Amino acid sequence: MNIGEIARRAGVSRSTVSYALSGKRPVSDETREKIQRVIDDLGYRPNASARALANGRTSTIGLVFPPAGDHYTGMQLDFIGSVVEAAATYDYDVLLSPSGVDSDRSFQRLLGERRVDGAILMEIRLQDDRVDHLLAEDFPAVCIGRTARPEGDWWVGLDHTALAAACVHHLADLGHRRIAFVNRPERLLRAGYESAHRGLDGFTKAAAERGLTVRTYTCGDDAPSGQACLERILHDDPATTALVTLNEAALGGLYRGLAHAGRHVPRDFSVTGVVASRWAETVTPQLTAADVPAAQMGRLAVDLLVERLDHPDGPPRHHLLTPPISLRASTGPAGAVAPPSPAPEPTA
């Protein structure tokens, strides 16, 4: 079934059917209703590729989202889901491209073959060649995250600097003086991931303001790495009474490490960080955290991209979000934590 057959049955020209479907030119209500009746009777669905050739739009947006490791974390999946749901409200499909750098073939196909009308980029680095390439090509794109110089970009960002600092001040107000910071993996820090760098910056500056004794750690995105990291923290400074983390995937391991060390949360040790709310609520006790608004950020990114597609000459716009800390059950006043006694020496 094609437009020609619809036109014949409706008694109109092919171009009239095309205008009725695309909305490019006005068609009378009577004619539109006649065409729609034929379409409904025949069960016609316009071919997406042909429609794209006709109107220059694919009705598809690209989500350029490389997994940071060998799997997507829960927070990353939340972002993907929120973008797909928000795009559907605009009648857009989403094409996922796991491209980490500008030279990836997937990224090049996305641009060179114009498979999508625009793109949303995630896992942003402070110096990101993908963002530079899209800007040079004048390709409509929105970032979830910020580069080091985001002035000319369209983006939605989380203020990791302010949020990590807020976590430090919250712990300091509770009397904690020796605090650890658990960041994302070392390779992401070396690659320039903006959230890891900005979170570290906010933590160290706030700790200096409050005169705290701190140590910073990188940690793999999994529970075993979290447990190993917690063991390092207590080995390096047994008097540590609290930690701040950006690594939700390691959260379960951090808790497990504290339990194995005999540290009760929050009586003996407080834990807080920047984590999506549904993950903060899966641990026991529930995590006091600056909740990452993944659904809101995905929705805002899609809104900005659709706005950019509809108004290509508009000035760059952005949203920087700083959600409050949600007080749950994982933080409490600092107690007098005595370092565990060393194991007795074996006797001969």
Side-chain angles (χ1 to χ4, degrees):
M1 187 55 56
N2 54 40
I3 287 179
E5 180 62 17
I6 293 171
R8 187 184 69 78
R9 297 195 184 201
V12 298
S13 68
R14 291 171 60 94
S15 60
T16 300
V17 175
S18 177
Y19 296 148
L21 291 174
S22 67
K24 280 190 171 182
R25 293 187 184 180
V27 174
S28 71
D29 291 342
E30 181 182 355
T31 300
R32 187 184 302 279
E33 290 172 3
K34 185 190 301 183
I35 292 170
Q36 189 60 53
R37 282 197 298 271
V38 173
I39 288 173
D40 291 342
D41 290 343
L42 297 175
Y44 172 75
R45 294 292 182 272
N47 180 274
S49 298
R51 184 171 55 190
L53 288 172
N55 63 20
R57 288 282 188 95
T58 65
S59 295
T60 303
I61 60 177
L63 179 57
V64 183
F65 194 171
D70 57 3
H71 65 282
Y72 287 110
T73 68
M75 189 186 299
Q76 291 166 336
L77 292 173
D78 284 347
F79 276 118
I80 293 173
S82 69
V83 168
V84 171
E85 289 179 10
T89 65
Y90 289 101
D91 204 23
Y92 273 90
D93 296 322
V94 176
L95 177 64
L96 180 63
S97 174
S99 301
V101 295
D102 180 27
S103 57
D104 282 357
R105 283 183 295 176
S106 174
F107 186 72
Q108 291 298 326
R109 285 196 301 269
L110 201 70
L111 298 183
E113 299 174 15
R114 292 282 167 164
R115 295 185 174 189
V116 297
D117 299 328
I120 294 174
L121 272 66
M122 300 196 66
E123 299 295 333
I124 299 299
R125 297 165 172 81
L126 292 174
Q127 307 295 331
D128 201 308
D129 56 358
R130 300 169 304 166
V131 179
D132 296 338
H133 190 138
L134 291 171
L135 186 62
E137 293 286 329
D138 197 27
F139 190 92
V142 172
C143 301
I144 298 184
R146 298 173 286 159
T147 63
R149 297 182 177 276
E151 296 81 9
D153 305 330
W154 292 66
W155 52 270
V156 178
L158 197 63
D159 194 342
H160 286 89
T161 304
L163 294 179
C167 290
V168 171
H169 290 304
H170 170 65
L171 293 173
D173 289 344
L174 290 170
H176 294 276
R177 307 299 300 169
R178 308 179 81 86
I179 301 174
F181 180 67
V182 180
N183 207 335
R184 300 292 301 283
E186 171 66 24
R187 57 188 174 75
L188 299 188
L189 203 61
R190 288 199 307 268
Y193 269 57
E194 69 104 6
S195 58
H197 278 270
R198 288 195 165 105
L200 176 60
D201 187 52
F203 175 85
T204 53
K205 287 182 178 177
E209 288 175 15
R210 302 299 292 263
L212 307 180
T213 299
V214 299
R215 292 177 183 268
T216 62
Y217 298 82
T218 55
C219 179
D221 288 332
D222 56 73
S225 296
Q227 183 171 350
C229 184
L230 194 283
E231 291 170 357
R232 290 199 307 274
I233 291 170
L234 295 183
H235 175 271
D236 293 344
D237 184 2
T240 301
T241 61
L243 68 81
V244 176
T245 184
L246 302 183
N247 195 325
E248 68 166 25
L251 189 58
L254 294 171
Y255 267 57
R256 190 162 64 222
L258 286 167
H260 284 185
R263 301 290 179 93
H264 180 274
V265 178
R267 185 186 65 223
D268 307 320
F269 201 101
S270 289
V271 183
T272 185
V274 183
V275 177
S277 61
R278 75 183 184 95
W279 300 103
E281 293 168 356
T282 60
V283 292
T284 303
Q286 292 187 355
L287 187 73
T288 291
D291 297 337
V292 177
Q296 181 187 9
M297 294 179 73
R299 185 169 60 252
L300 288 172
V302 172
D303 290 345
L304 284 182
L305 183 57
V306 172
E307 177 184 335
R308 186 170 185 184
L309 291 171
D310 291 342
H311 305 283
D313 296 326
R317 296 211 309 116
H318 66 266
H319 300 282
L320 182 61
L321 307 180
T322 311
I325 292 179
S326 295
L327 298 176
R328 296 189 179 93
S330 66
T331 56
V337 178
S341 302
E345 294 291 334
T347 58

